[in-house]
Amino acid sequence: MTKRVAILISGSGSNMVALAESMVGDHPARPVLVVSNLPGAGGLGRAEAMGIATAVVDHRRFAGDRAAFEAELARVLEAARPDILCLAGFMRILTPWFTARWAGRALNIHPSLLPKYRGLDTHARALAAGDSEAGCSVHEVTAELDGGPILGQARVPILPGDTPERLAARVLPMEHELYPAVLRRYAAGDRTPVFLP
Ligand code: GRF
């Protein structure tokens, strides 16, 4: 049975595009919905151009009431009957109520070599620490921010003169390779981690 995938975004949606473009042919899943918490997210137009249904649940409408925001987000998502949820550049922290609903069937991409540098500004922190490499991770979503089981990682070298922007530009293409590779296995029920390169 082909798995139905919903994707949560907040921004340009480049990871969403990489996921959606990978779900063709013998892939065990198909994208059914892209949801953004921001009406102006560039990824919405990209999803529509790919013929994927989109929706907006603007978190600002809920004036900080996380429970009300998440109840509406859950309602919109569940109307599409997804089997798997992929967070792709989604910048809202989800409560245990929401993560429990998706336990064992939700993934997130994070631009660091977890468990290092959970949260924001990951590349600047790796540079400030004098690390020799950086990267990205795909993990299962749990109540612990960026803390769920790691299902994939991709590494890149940190080079002399690197800035957070240059490092982000080196890591992002690896995200676009790693996330689809993990999703393909995950949708087939295979939790064997993917390591790149
Ligand atoms: C990516 O680096 C992702 O890891 C992070 O946000 C960035 C935005 O990606 N969470 P996208 O182009 O919106 O997918």
Side-chain angles (χ1 to χ4, degrees):
M1 186 70 175
T2 302
K3 293 281 172 57
R4 299 167 63 84
V5 175
I7 306 173
L8 293 183
I9 67 169
S10 297
S12 65
S14 70
N15 278 290
M16 177 277 297
V17 170
L19 290 171
E21 285 179 347
S22 75
M23 288 187 260
V24 293
D26 68 349
H27 193 290
R30 292 291 184 272
V32 296
L33 181 66
V34 170
V35 183
S36 173
N37 64 298
L38 292 172
L44 290 168
R46 300 171 90 176
E48 282 148 16
M50 300 174 80
I52 306 169
T54 64
V56 172
V57 182
D58 188 338
H59 68 277
R60 299 165 301 181
R61 269 200 298 123
F62 299 88
D65 183 343
R66 276 180 191 280
F69 164 67
E70 288 185 355
E72 176 62 7
L73 183 59
R75 190 190 64 73
V76 168
L77 280 171
E78 281 149 27
R81 295 179 294 105
D83 303 294
I84 295 172
L85 182 62
C86 288
L87 281 57
F90 183 67
M91 302 308 277
R92 302 301 297 169
I93 296 176
L94 298 165
T95 70
W97 174 84
F98 190 94
T99 57
R101 282 174 95 82
W102 291 91
R105 52 193 191 113
L107 299 173
N108 180 43
I109 181 115
H110 182 75
S112 83
L113 295 173
L114 292 170
K116 290 180 100 171
Y117 313 127
R118 295 177 180 175
L120 299 174
D121 307 323
T122 57
H123 303 310
R125 291 155 68 193
L127 289 168
D131 291 356
S132 60
E133 59 178 9
C136 54
S137 308
V138 175
H139 64 94
E140 210 162 29
V141 175
T142 64
E144 207 186 340
L145 180 67
D146 303 328
I150 295 169
L151 296 173
Q153 283 194 321
R155 294 168 183 272
V156 302
I158 292 181
L159 304 174
D162 262 348
T163 61
E165 295 71 28
R166 277 175 59 160
L167 198 44
R170 193 173 309 124
V171 170
L172 196 58
M174 298 302 285
E175 295 183 38
H176 299 160
E177 217 181 309
L178 179 69
Y179 211 172
V182 172
L183 176 62
R184 179 180 270 272
R185 288 189 183 178
Y186 195 71
D190 176 0
R191 299 166 60 85
T192 316
V194 177
F195 294 106
L196 301 175

